[in-house]
Amino acid sequence: MSDDPSAEIEAAPPVELDPLHNQLTAWQQRVLALLEVLLCSSLPTQFLIAGILGAIGISPRDGDQLSLTFVFVLSVADTLVLIALMVALTRAHGESPWLLWRGRAPLFPEIVVGLMLVPVAVFMVAFLIGIIRTFAPELHNVPENPLESLATGGAGAAAIFGVVAIVAGGIREELQRAFLLQRFERHLGGATVGVIVLCTAFGLGHALQGWDAAIATGTLGAFWATLYLRRRSSVAPMVSHAGFNSIEVLRIAIGGGA
């Protein structure tokens, strides 16, 4: 038996389909998985929450820039709603959200791996942005990142934006990534298709920051998705993602955007 717990996890046979799926045909299973992917993609939930915030008078903009209050409330509320949805759907299939996200590997080694991969993520983005701006400068089409301005309003604003970056980025996006990858892996073309689709969507979700940022964040999405599939735990990707976002917020707060 291998001394590496993650090796045992990878060698484990795929989880059998839950009773709900066993009652459905193959195409019905795919349709259900696709509906769950769309429901938990953040688009429906964020549109709904943004509409509610608008109805109670919380505007998405504060003058000529994004409203930090709006971004904070939207991000935290979306995180809570999405986690509740994913837990409910996972349990509806007779499965454990804890096992999906926490995995079977010991906790401390996963945290250490995540911490060790923070500088890797930082270097990866710096390298990609440098290459893009050298050889394809036209992709740097947003001179001032609209999100970076949220972290430059003093220590209080930076702290609030840091919470958003950790909660909505490091926590929500990694739990969401694991949930969605499971749907692709089982019913929507496999893990590779899932990584490609999700990293593309992850990049496009950051397109308002510029195409160079979209490419860099999409690559990070593929990196963290592959890490999850390799280790079958969201802990290392979550720690790496939260650490990367924290460094970015600190960099912007201290020295301004790139």
Side-chain angles (χ1 to χ4, degrees):
M1 181 177 294
S2 171
D3 293 332
D4 182 6
S6 64
E8 295 182 15
I9 294 171
E10 291 169 14
V15 178
E16 293 184 3
L17 294 179
D18 58 83
L20 173 60
H21 270 111
N22 285 338
Q23 299 172 17
L24 304 176
T25 64
W27 74 267
Q28 288 173 328
Q29 293 171 12
R30 287 193 288 270
V31 170
L32 179 59
L34 181 58
L35 290 175
E36 291 181 353
V37 166
L38 294 175
L39 180 62
C40 296
S41 67
S42 281
L43 290 177
T45 51
Q46 288 195 6
F47 274 119
L48 175 62
I49 295 168
I52 294 172
L53 293 179
I56 63 176
I58 301 179
S59 172
R61 303 197 69 83
D62 183 7
D64 59 351
Q65 67 179 31
L66 289 172
S67 165
L68 180 57
T69 299
F70 179 87
V71 171
F72 176 80
V73 176
L74 175 65
S75 300
V76 172
D78 185 50
T79 297
L80 296 175
V81 171
L82 267 181
I83 290 176
L85 270 175
M86 292 186 291
V87 167
L89 290 171
T90 302
R91 287 179 174 170
H93 290 292
E95 298 175 347
S96 167
W98 178 259
L99 185 60
L100 171 67
W101 291 327
R102 167 67 178 80
R104 294 188 176 92
L107 181 61
F108 183 71
E110 293 300 304
I111 294 174
V112 171
V113 169
L115 290 173
M116 291 175 62
L117 291 177
V118 172
V120 175
V122 172
F123 173 79
M124 185 185 306
V125 168
F127 178 77
L128 281 172
I129 292 295
I131 292 293
I132 291 170
R133 293 187 183 179
T134 299
F135 296 101
E138 66 276 6
L139 294 178
H140 181 49
N141 60 316
V142 179
E144 296 184 8
N145 188 327
L147 290 182
E148 290 185 351
S149 63
L150 299 178
T152 57
I160 293 172
F161 189 62
V163 171
V164 171
I166 292 172
V167 171
I171 297 176
R172 185 199 71 198
E173 288 177 358
E174 293 311 319
L175 298 181
Q176 185 180 28
R177 201 186 317 277
F179 178 88
L180 299 179
L181 277 172
Q182 186 187 69
R183 271 65 192 159
F184 277 97
E185 191 171 25
R186 291 182 177 179
H187 306 293
L188 298 173
T192 301
V193 173
V195 172
I196 293 171
V197 171
L198 295 181
C199 77
T200 301
F202 187 54
L204 291 176
H206 291 75
L208 80 163
Q209 299 172 323
W211 289 117
D212 51 350
I215 293 171
T217 52
T219 303
L220 276 179
F223 171 66
W224 287 319
T226 303
L227 180 62
Y228 172 80
L229 292 171
R230 177 73 175 81
R231 307 191 71 82
R232 296 296 169 174
S233 171
S234 293
V235 176
M238 193 182 302
V239 171
S240 176
H241 195 158
F244 172 83
N245 283 1
S246 298
I247 290 174
E248 282 294 288
V249 172
L250 185 62
R251 174 187 66 82
I252 295 164
I254 293 175

